[in-house]
Amino acid sequence: MSEPSTDTAPPAPPVEWSIPRGLIVLLSLGAGVVTIGGLKAFSGIVGPVFLALMLTIAVQPIQSWARRKGWPAWLGMAAALVAVIAILFGIGGALALSAVQLASLLPEYADKLNELLDHGRNWLSDLGVSSDQIHKALSGIDLGKAASVIEELVGGVLGVFSNLFFVVALLLFMAVDGMTMDRRLSIVARERPAIAQALGNFVTGTRKYLIVSTVFGAIVAVIDGGALWLMGVPLPILWALLSFITNYIPNVGFVIGVIPPALLALLDSGPVLMIWVIVVYSVINFVIQSIIQPKFVGDAVGLGVTITFLSLVFWAWVIGALGALLAIPLTLLVKALLFDIDPTTRWADVLIGAPIDPKPTPQKKSGKPAEPETAVDKQ
């Protein structure tokens, strides 16, 4: 009787199956398009929700300070909530009051505008432009229409206050959750340290950005308002407040802030004062916002100049005017969720981040140059 054979067939090699890399890229792009479309469709909700989140992050140190002082958790939450509500209604009320003043002031310049239009027609006629072309070009300029637009803007500002109740409600709920957020994040840090690090980077970067933008915005507002007051431009407080708000808009906020006071200076005192307003604004804002501030913002958030400009265009298109104000924090959140959350993709920080200062290359004992340290290595 023969013995059974002990030889066994070798196991079959595992079947390797993977999605082609090109298909992964296409699927990712498709998912991105769907996500962007959803954000744009629900921009009326996404914008206020993220505004509430950003404000909660801004006032969270108040709760931490109250906890260190031994105050009850509810008292720190109440202090943070009162602070952020005061900021919201203070800025909103000042804007609404100033807009009403501007709407009542514009009709007084109707005759001045007609005079400027007559000079414009004569100048165009001297250049050989036909009267029909001049009429088509200037027929749409009407100060009464401008006043009605301002009134509509005032109504829009008052309408925003109804949305502010939604924002305040979100702030209340987020402040309540903030009382236990430290314990929650400590649990996340134990279970998923990469996620906790990514969220921590987002919170820290957002808070630094808000601090830097607020400080420089206050400096620009004081200088611009004082300069307009010395030059005799009407409503200098309104334009100073506008400079403060537009400072949160990267790259092009200065251009938005200079147009209204320059036009009002033209109507009030003529082209000479308008030119002075543009020159003074350009000097002040170019030095502060284009030379000094980007250095601090880049160090605070780790985003390059190109990325900040593209984020402004993108989020303004997706969410609207609120997206322009929240462009940098929104980009920081996307960066945290897509790149920082995965250690294998943090190399992208080198490409989208601020320029890295060159450092002397250290030498190893073997005499070979060591590899340069990058932002990814620091993480």
Side-chain angles (χ1 to χ4, degrees):
M1 188 171 183
S2 61
E3 296 180 358
S5 176
T6 57
D7 296 337
T8 59
V15 178
E16 295 184 0
W17 180 86
S18 62
I19 301 177
R21 189 175 297 274
L23 182 58
I24 293 176
V25 173
L26 290 177
L27 291 175
S28 301
L29 292 175
V33 171
V34 173
T35 302
I36 293 170
L39 291 175
K40 190 173 179 62
F42 293 95
S43 59
I45 298 177
V46 174
V49 168
F50 193 81
L51 175 62
L53 175 61
M54 189 183 68
L55 293 174
T56 302
I57 292 174
V59 299
Q60 181 64 30
I62 297 178
Q63 289 183 283
S64 302
W65 175 82
R67 190 183 306 112
R68 290 194 301 268
K69 291 294 183 179
W71 292 7
W74 66 267
L75 190 56
M77 181 268 293
L81 189 62
V82 168
V84 72
I85 290 177
I87 294 173
L88 275 176
F89 282 92
I91 296 177
L95 279 176
L97 180 61
S98 300
V100 170
Q101 293 177 348
L102 179 61
S104 62
L105 182 65
L106 282 179
E108 300 179 5
Y109 294 103
D111 295 337
K112 183 67 175 180
L113 178 62
N114 293 329
E115 182 180 350
L116 290 174
L117 292 178
D118 292 336
H119 287 296
R121 292 188 184 95
N122 296 332
W123 179 69
L124 292 175
S125 298
D126 295 339
L127 294 178
V129 181
S130 64
S131 58
D132 293 337
Q133 293 175 332
I134 296 174
H135 178 73
K136 292 180 180 179
L138 300 179
S139 60
I141 302 177
D142 185 5
L143 201 59
K145 294 181 180 179
S148 63
V149 170
I150 296 298
E151 292 176 358
E152 292 179 1
L153 290 177
V154 173
V157 171
L158 296 178
V160 169
F161 276 97
S162 63
N163 292 331
L164 283 181
F165 288 107
F166 175 59
V167 175
V168 170
L170 287 173
L171 288 171
L172 176 61
F173 299 142
M174 291 182 181
V176 172
D177 289 336
M179 293 189 294
T180 59
M181 189 56 64
D182 290 339
R183 293 195 295 271
R184 298 182 186 185
L185 289 179
S186 63
I187 297 175
V188 174
R190 288 198 305 266
E191 301 294 332
R192 294 289 189 271
I195 296 177
Q197 181 182 356
L199 295 177
N201 291 340
F202 161 67
V203 171
T204 302
T206 299
R207 194 170 290 149
K208 288 182 179 179
Y209 166 74
L210 292 176
I211 293 174
V212 171
S213 298
T214 301
V215 171
F216 280 97
I219 294 173
V220 169
V222 170
I223 297 177
D224 287 345
L228 293 176
W229 177 73
L230 291 176
M231 289 186 291
V233 178
L235 303 177
I237 297 178
L238 170 61
W239 310 130
L241 184 60
L242 182 63
S243 297
F244 175 77
I245 295 175
T246 54
N247 188 68
Y248 291 97
I249 303 176
N251 303 115
V252 300
F254 147 67
V255 178
I256 299 174
V258 73
I259 293 176
L263 292 178
L264 191 59
L266 174 65
L267 294 176
D268 185 74
S269 302
V272 175
L273 184 59
M274 180 188 69
I275 294 174
W276 272 110
V277 169
I278 295 175
V279 170
V280 171
Y281 258 67
S282 299
V283 172
I284 295 173
N285 291 272
F286 177 78
V287 172
I288 296 178
Q289 295 182 335
S290 300
I291 298 178
I292 302 176
Q293 183 175 343
K295 170 63 178 174
F296 289 90
V297 172
D299 294 341
V301 303
L303 295 176
V305 178
T306 304
I307 294 298
T308 57
F309 177 74
L310 292 177
S311 65
L312 165 67
V313 176
F314 174 77
W315 291 114
W317 173 71
V318 173
I319 300 180
L322 192 57
L325 291 174
L326 304 177
I328 298 300
L330 282 166
T331 304
L332 290 177
L333 179 60
V334 173
K335 173 176 172 289
L337 296 179
L338 296 184
F339 302 114
D340 296 344
I341 204 170
D342 187 356
T344 62
T345 58
R346 290 179 187 165
W347 56 266
D349 289 346
V350 180
L351 300 179
I352 66 176
I356 301 176
D357 294 333
K359 296 181 181 179
T361 304
Q363 298 290 331
K364 292 184 178 179
K365 293 183 180 180
S366 61
K368 296 180 179 180
E371 294 182 359
E373 184 183 16
T374 64
V376 179
D377 298 326
K378 296 179 181 179
Q379 297 180 2

